[in-house]
Amino acid sequence: MNYITQYMSTKIKDLQFPSLNYDFGALEPHIDALTMEIHYTKHHQAYFNNLLASVKGTDLENMVLEDVLKNINNYPVALRNNGGGHFNHSLFWTIMSPSGGGKPCGDLANAIDQSFGSFEEFKELFNNAAKTRFGSGWAWLGVNSDNKLFVSSTPNQDNPLMDVTENNGTPVLGLDVWEHAYYLNYQNRRPDYVQAFWNVVNWEEVEKRYLEFLVD
Ligand code: MN3
């Protein structure tokens, strides 16, 4: 079952920790192997474990994570942090690939041009969102309920699904700008990490998500 379908229908208690479809070193030199290993096996695993622990034995374990995130204001903060953390990282691993980079094509490329003027203008907006997010958080490309693309950033493990965010919609591309995502290789140079990210973006996966989340 792919990631998207899994989150649309799976109860939190039945969620599986996702597999990584490439080696830890596969994204080098853009993202180094040790960062990937620690990020995936320690940080993401901890969000996942804490998510399951926080709902265990409660009615919440029978909820679908996406529904919880969309109404996160009604739920305990542990779900916002760990449910968001699990969702965000699960997306993050899939929208990167050793054979990534380049430009989007097809319907997504057209939508980006229509929404932002050009791919370059979109990248500049996204880069700014990633670079100016103060402290820990994420930059996003999302699609809203009017099928419009938007660029945003969120603090901590929030994401555009959450009712607490300003730009509400479904994320189709996300960049983790927590220091744990880049500090070993880039230290304080977040802009260099943001720039390098474009070399590993899996545009096929981003477009798949974009098409799947368009509202009829
Ligand atoms: Mn992270």
Side-chain angles (χ1 to χ4, degrees):
M1 191 190 293
N2 75 20
Y3 160 80
I4 304 172
T5 318
Q6 183 183 17
Y7 283 82
M8 293 304 176
S9 56
T10 306
K11 294 175 179 179
I12 293 176
K13 67 178 180 187
D14 296 326
L15 289 173
Q16 305 279 324
F17 191 66
S19 55
L20 194 63
N21 293 324
Y22 41 83
D23 296 336
F24 295 133
L27 304 180
E28 289 194 348
H30 311 295
I31 300 181
D32 65 283
L34 186 58
T35 295
M36 281 299 298
E37 181 175 357
I38 295 172
H39 201 173
Y40 175 76
T41 66
K42 306 291 185 197
H43 291 277
H44 185 180
Q45 186 74 55
Y47 294 122
F48 182 73
N49 294 349
N50 291 336
L51 167 64
L52 295 191
S54 73
V55 298
K56 198 170 170 52
T58 75
D59 293 344
L60 290 171
E61 69 180 2
N62 293 312
M63 298 278 299
V64 172
L65 181 58
E66 193 197 8
D67 294 335
V68 170
L69 297 181
K70 283 180 172 172
N71 301 285
I72 200 67
N73 223 1
N74 302 333
Y75 296 102
V77 69
L79 270 177
R80 181 169 172 178
N81 292 335
N82 298 302
H86 175 56
F87 183 97
N88 296 347
H89 289 85
S90 299
L91 178 143
F92 189 47
W93 311 132
T94 66
I95 57 87
M96 296 190 292
S97 160
S99 56
K103 289 179 169 192
C105 55
D107 290 339
L108 176 63
N110 293 336
I112 286 176
D113 286 346
Q114 275 175 14
S115 304
F116 307 111
S118 66
F119 180 58
E120 292 307 318
E121 284 168 280
F122 152 69
K123 268 172 71 175
E124 197 175 322
L125 271 181
F126 190 96
N127 286 343
N128 276 336
K131 287 189 264 191
T132 59
R133 162 52 48 196
F134 184 76
S136 299
W138 291 74
W140 303 103
L141 172 66
V143 56
N144 70 18
S145 54
D146 296 324
N147 291 335
K148 295 268 193 298
L149 289 174
F150 62 88
V151 166
S152 69
S153 84
T154 54
N156 304 314
Q157 294 299 348
D158 288 359
N159 67 44
L161 286 173
M162 294 181 180
D163 55 358
V164 291
T165 57
E166 221 171 288
N167 283 289
N168 226 227
T170 305
V172 295
L173 173 70
L175 175 59
D176 188 341
V177 296
W178 284 57
E179 284 187 345
H180 69 226
Y182 62 87
Y183 207 84
L184 290 177
N185 192 33
Y186 294 97
Q187 292 83 48
N188 59 316
R189 304 187 310 278
R190 187 193 287 184
D192 292 354
Y193 161 70
V194 172
Q195 202 54 47
F197 170 66
W198 298 111
N199 296 309
V200 295
V201 173
N202 180 351
W203 286 112
E204 271 175 45
E205 177 71 20
V206 177
E207 186 181 23
K208 200 171 86 185
R209 287 162 182 278
Y210 167 68
L211 294 174
E212 187 157 344
F213 289 126
L214 287 178
V215 181
D216 293 332

mmCIF file of all heavy atoms in Angstrom, residues 159-175:
data_model
loop_
_atom_site.group_PDB
_atom_site.id
_atom_site.type_symbol
_atom_site.label_atom_id
_atom_site.label_comp_id
_atom_site.label_asym_id
_atom_site.label_seq_id
_atom_site.Cartn_x
_atom_site.Cartn_y
_atom_site.Cartn_z
ATOM 1 N N ASN A 159 1.915 21.172 9.901
ATOM 2 C CA ASN A 159 1.894 21.082 8.434
ATOM 3 C C ASN A 159 0.574 21.661 7.922
ATOM 4 O O ASN A 159 -0.332 21.963 8.715
ATOM 5 C CB ASN A 159 2.121 19.637 7.967
ATOM 6 C CG ASN A 159 0.985 18.717 8.334
ATOM 7 O OD1 ASN A 159 -0.180 19.066 8.170
ATOM 8 N ND2 ASN A 159 1.304 17.526 8.835
ATOM 9 N N PRO A 160 0.479 21.860 6.599
ATOM 10 C CA PRO A 160 -0.700 22.554 6.058
ATOM 11 C C PRO A 160 -2.036 21.837 6.269
ATOM 12 O O PRO A 160 -3.083 22.448 6.096
ATOM 13 C CB PRO A 160 -0.387 22.668 4.558
ATOM 14 C CG PRO A 160 1.101 22.627 4.481
ATOM 15 C CD PRO A 160 1.509 21.661 5.556
ATOM 16 N N LEU A 161 -2.003 20.545 6.618
ATOM 17 C CA LEU A 161 -3.271 19.854 6.901
ATOM 18 C C LEU A 161 -3.924 20.406 8.157
ATOM 19 O O LEU A 161 -5.148 20.391 8.294
ATOM 20 C CB LEU A 161 -3.016 18.357 7.131
ATOM 21 C CG LEU A 161 -2.689 17.466 5.954
ATOM 22 C CD1 LEU A 161 -2.311 16.077 6.471
ATOM 23 C CD2 LEU A 161 -3.874 17.377 5.002
ATOM 24 N N MET A 162 -3.120 20.900 9.079
ATOM 25 C CA MET A 162 -3.619 21.236 10.417
ATOM 26 C C MET A 162 -4.478 22.494 10.410
ATOM 27 O O MET A 162 -4.136 23.484 9.755
ATOM 28 C CB MET A 162 -2.440 21.416 11.380
ATOM 29 C CG MET A 162 -1.671 20.136 11.615
ATOM 30 S SD MET A 162 -0.316 20.424 12.781
ATOM 31 C CE MET A 162 0.400 18.770 12.865
ATOM 32 N N ASP A 163 -5.554 22.415 11.186
ATOM 33 C CA ASP A 163 -6.486 23.550 11.260
ATOM 34 C C ASP A 163 -5.862 24.754 11.965
ATOM 35 O O ASP A 163 -6.456 25.823 11.973
ATOM 36 C CB ASP A 163 -7.794 23.127 11.944
ATOM 37 C CG ASP A 163 -7.588 22.509 13.321
ATOM 38 O OD1 ASP A 163 -6.423 22.369 13.755
ATOM 39 O OD2 ASP A 163 -8.587 22.167 13.963
ATOM 40 N N VAL A 164 -4.677 24.572 12.545
ATOM 41 C CA VAL A 164 -4.019 25.695 13.222
ATOM 42 C C VAL A 164 -3.131 26.494 12.274
ATOM 43 O O VAL A 164 -2.545 27.487 12.666
ATOM 44 C CB VAL A 164 -3.152 25.198 14.413
ATOM 45 C CG1 VAL A 164 -4.027 24.665 15.523
ATOM 46 C CG2 VAL A 164 -2.149 24.146 13.951
ATOM 47 N N THR A 165 -2.999 26.037 11.012
ATOM 48 C CA THR A 165 -2.104 26.734 10.080
ATOM 49 C C THR A 165 -2.870 27.757 9.246
ATOM 50 O O THR A 165 -4.068 27.615 8.996
ATOM 51 C CB THR A 165 -1.389 25.749 9.124
ATOM 52 O OG1 THR A 165 -2.374 25.004 8.418
ATOM 53 C CG2 THR A 165 -0.483 24.816 9.892
ATOM 54 N N GLU A 166 -2.117 28.760 8.810
ATOM 55 C CA GLU A 166 -2.706 29.857 8.052
ATOM 56 C C GLU A 166 -3.071 29.416 6.627
ATOM 57 O O GLU A 166 -4.155 29.689 6.145
ATOM 58 C CB GLU A 166 -1.675 30.982 7.964
ATOM 59 C CG GLU A 166 -2.246 32.366 8.137
ATOM 60 C CD GLU A 166 -1.114 33.366 8.242
ATOM 61 O OE1 GLU A 166 -0.427 33.403 9.278
ATOM 62 O OE2 GLU A 166 -0.920 34.094 7.252
ATOM 63 N N ASN A 167 -2.132 28.737 5.963
ATOM 64 C CA ASN A 167 -2.353 28.231 4.607
ATOM 65 C C ASN A 167 -2.765 26.774 4.689
ATOM 66 O O ASN A 167 -1.938 25.891 4.829
ATOM 67 C CB ASN A 167 -1.075 28.353 3.775
ATOM 68 C CG ASN A 167 -0.844 29.763 3.321
ATOM 69 O OD1 ASN A 167 -1.562 30.261 2.471
ATOM 70 N ND2 ASN A 167 0.143 30.421 3.911
ATOM 71 N N ASN A 168 -4.075 26.553 4.610
ATOM 72 C CA ASN A 168 -4.606 25.220 4.804
ATOM 73 C C ASN A 168 -4.709 24.468 3.493
ATOM 74 O O ASN A 168 -5.148 25.015 2.488
ATOM 75 C CB ASN A 168 -5.985 25.341 5.445
ATOM 76 C CG ASN A 168 -6.153 24.383 6.588
ATOM 77 O OD1 ASN A 168 -7.163 23.710 6.676
ATOM 78 N ND2 ASN A 168 -5.160 24.292 7.454
ATOM 79 N N GLY A 169 -4.322 23.208 3.489
ATOM 80 C CA GLY A 169 -4.417 22.377 2.295
ATOM 81 C C GLY A 169 -3.623 21.109 2.499
ATOM 82 O O GLY A 169 -3.289 20.752 3.627
ATOM 83 N N THR A 170 -3.319 20.436 1.391
ATOM 84 C CA THR A 170 -2.583 19.182 1.450
ATOM 85 C C THR A 170 -1.158 19.400 0.957
ATOM 86 O O THR A 170 -0.962 19.898 -0.151
ATOM 87 C CB THR A 170 -3.266 18.126 0.553
ATOM 88 O OG1 THR A 170 -4.628 18.014 0.966
ATOM 89 C CG2 THR A 170 -2.584 16.788 0.694
ATOM 90 N N PRO A 171 -0.159 19.048 1.773
ATOM 91 C CA PRO A 171 1.223 19.225 1.327
ATOM 92 C C PRO A 171 1.595 18.209 0.247
ATOM 93 O O PRO A 171 1.245 17.037 0.363
ATOM 94 C CB PRO A 171 2.044 18.984 2.599
ATOM 95 C CG PRO A 171 1.178 18.157 3.481
ATOM 96 C CD PRO A 171 -0.246 18.502 3.135
ATOM 97 N N VAL A 172 2.270 18.676 -0.805
ATOM 98 C CA VAL A 172 2.741 17.753 -1.849
ATOM 99 C C VAL A 172 4.263 17.740 -1.924
ATOM 100 O O VAL A 172 4.866 16.835 -2.503
ATOM 101 C CB VAL A 172 2.139 18.075 -3.238
ATOM 102 C CG1 VAL A 172 0.630 17.868 -3.222
ATOM 103 C CG2 VAL A 172 2.488 19.482 -3.699
ATOM 104 N N LEU A 173 4.907 18.766 -1.338
ATOM 105 C CA LEU A 173 6.364 18.826 -1.261
ATOM 106 C C LEU A 173 6.692 19.489 0.068
ATOM 107 O O LEU A 173 6.084 20.508 0.414
ATOM 108 C CB LEU A 173 6.914 19.674 -2.422
ATOM 109 C CG LEU A 173 8.411 20.000 -2.417
ATOM 110 C CD1 LEU A 173 9.243 18.755 -2.701
ATOM 111 C CD2 LEU A 173 8.728 21.071 -3.463
ATOM 112 N N GLY A 174 7.624 18.915 0.810
ATOM 113 C CA GLY A 174 8.001 19.504 2.088
ATOM 114 C C GLY A 174 9.492 19.423 2.289
ATOM 115 O O GLY A 174 10.128 18.451 1.866
ATOM 116 N N LEU A 175 10.047 20.448 2.934
ATOM 117 C CA LEU A 175 11.475 20.441 3.267
ATOM 118 C C LEU A 175 11.639 20.658 4.766
ATOM 119 O O LEU A 175 11.165 21.664 5.314
ATOM 120 C CB LEU A 175 12.215 21.538 2.488
ATOM 121 C CG LEU A 175 13.696 21.706 2.845
ATOM 122 C CD1 LEU A 175 14.487 20.419 2.604
ATOM 123 C CD2 LEU A 175 14.310 22.855 2.044
#
